[in-house]
């Protein structure tokens, strides 16, 4: 039996995958994780054979998670299950050691074939992914920097928006009914997530990568 960890920050996606996999002959326990930290903890605690891994998670990118897990002696097989289909992104995950790559528009049958193929020790890439890689051999597209920026929380977006409007720390605190120290903590988190050295860099990246968009 194959014990599978479903990793996605949207519960509806996890529920959908569970619905597709529950009751399948070779599928054992189905675990769930909503972020990278939970993923790492579950792999350490449970007997997991395969991970269906979303790439864009709120605390860690799928690339970082894949690299971290692949450094383990008994790493589970990993299938990237994502909406990102550009060649640069796929290549980056391949370099991280992913065993398979599927887009979220894949169907139940292909998902099961991918799982069976990978558990036999082979790799599996959907036809769409393979075609993208072939087309990108001569002119590979680099992933956008924004693809690898950790997701911002609702509160972080609120604070970022106010920062871009030149509100001070105290003004933000009063407007959002939180303490100045909380504002500072969120600002530090924002700087870390976008890899900016200061507020000016944070504002620049906010507009460059559309971080204020819904």
């Amino acid at each position: 039996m194959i014990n599978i960890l479903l990793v996605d920050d949207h519960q509806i996606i996890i529920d959908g995958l569970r619905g597709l996999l529950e009751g399948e002959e070779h599928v054992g326990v189905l675990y769930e994780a909503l972020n990278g930290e939970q993923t790492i903890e579950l792999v350490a605690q449970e007997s997991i054979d395969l991970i269906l891994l979303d790439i864009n998670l709120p605390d860690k990118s799928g690339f970082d998670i894949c690299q971290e897990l692949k450094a383990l002696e008994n790493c589970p097989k990993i299938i990237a299950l994502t909406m990102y289909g550009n060649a640069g992104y796929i290549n980056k995950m391949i370099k991280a050691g992913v065993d398979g790559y599927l887009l979220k528009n894949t169907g139940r049958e292909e998902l099961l074939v991918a799982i069976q193929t990978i558990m036999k020790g082979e790799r599996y890439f959907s036809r769409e992914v393979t075609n993208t890689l072939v087309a990108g051999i001569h002119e590979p597209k680099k992933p956008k920097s924004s693809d690898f920026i950790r997701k911002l929380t609702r509160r972080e977006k609120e604070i970022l928006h106010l920062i871009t409007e030149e509100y001070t720390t105290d003004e933000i605190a009063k407007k959002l009914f939180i303490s100045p120290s909380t504002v500072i903590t969120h600002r530090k988190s924002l700087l870390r997530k976008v890899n900016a050295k200061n507020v000016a860099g944070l504002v620049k990246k906010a507009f460059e990568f559309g971080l204020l968009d819904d």
Side-chain angles (χ1 to χ4, degrees):
M1 301 292 280
I2 306 168
N3 294 334
I4 302 175
L5 172 57
L6 311 175
V7 183
D8 200 290
D9 62 332
H10 294 93
Q11 187 65 47
I12 192 170
I13 299 295
I14 290 180
D15 292 344
L17 290 170
R18 180 176 287 278
L20 292 175
L21 296 172
E22 276 185 334
E24 284 298 320
E25 182 180 359
H26 301 294
V27 174
V29 181
L30 294 172
Y31 298 93
E32 300 180 6
L34 295 172
N35 55 51
E37 183 178 351
Q38 291 177 4
T39 301
I40 302 300
E41 289 177 356
L42 280 169
V43 169
Q45 296 168 1
E46 307 293 344
S47 177
I48 295 170
D49 304 301
L50 174 74
I51 302 173
L52 293 179
L53 177 66
D54 183 24
I55 289 178
N56 193 9
L57 296 169
D59 58 342
K60 291 186 178 185
S61 72
F63 172 73
D64 291 333
I65 295 169
C66 192
Q67 273 196 321
E68 187 170 343
L69 291 178
K70 285 297 179 178
L72 301 176
E73 186 174 348
N74 296 311
C75 174
K77 301 292 185 182
I78 300 175
I79 299 177
L81 184 61
T82 176
M83 60 183 290
Y84 296 112
N86 70 68
Y89 215 102
I90 299 167
N91 280 317
K92 193 169 181 68
M93 287 302 293
I94 290 174
K95 289 179 180 178
V98 76
D99 300 284
Y101 200 108
L102 297 173
L103 300 183
K104 285 186 175 178
N105 61 4
T106 192
R108 172 178 171 274
E109 293 303 320
E110 183 171 35
L111 176 60
L112 293 174
V113 169
I115 291 172
Q116 292 167 5
T117 300
I118 287 171
M119 292 312 297
K120 291 177 183 177
E122 303 174 27
R123 282 186 164 188
Y124 187 94
F125 300 96
S126 66
R127 178 174 295 181
E128 188 173 352
V129 170
T130 301
N131 289 341
T132 299
L133 287 173
V134 171
I137 288 176
H138 299 296
E139 295 182 11
K141 296 180 181 178
K142 294 182 178 179
K144 297 182 295 182
S145 297
S146 56
D147 288 341
F148 294 101
I149 290 177
R150 297 177 187 174
K151 283 185 177 179
L152 305 185
T153 64
R154 178 185 59 82
R155 178 64 82 190
E156 286 172 344
K157 279 193 173 186
E158 288 176 343
I159 290 174
L160 178 58
H161 180 78
L162 294 172
I163 289 174
T164 62
E165 292 188 348
E166 299 184 16
Y167 280 72
T168 67
T169 296
D170 288 338
E171 289 171 341
I172 294 173
K174 290 179 181 178
K175 191 172 184 65
L176 297 181
F177 303 102
I178 56 179
S179 69
S181 62
T182 299
V183 175
I184 292 171
T185 297
H186 283 300
R187 188 172 63 217
K188 288 180 180 178
S189 177
L190 284 165
L191 290 169
R192 184 173 63 253
K193 283 187 175 182
V194 306
N195 195 27
K197 295 180 179 180
N198 49 44
V199 171
L202 174 61
V203 172
K204 178 181 178 182
K205 291 192 177 184
F207 289 109
E208 182 180 353
F209 298 134
L211 300 181
L212 298 173
D213 298 340
D214 293 330

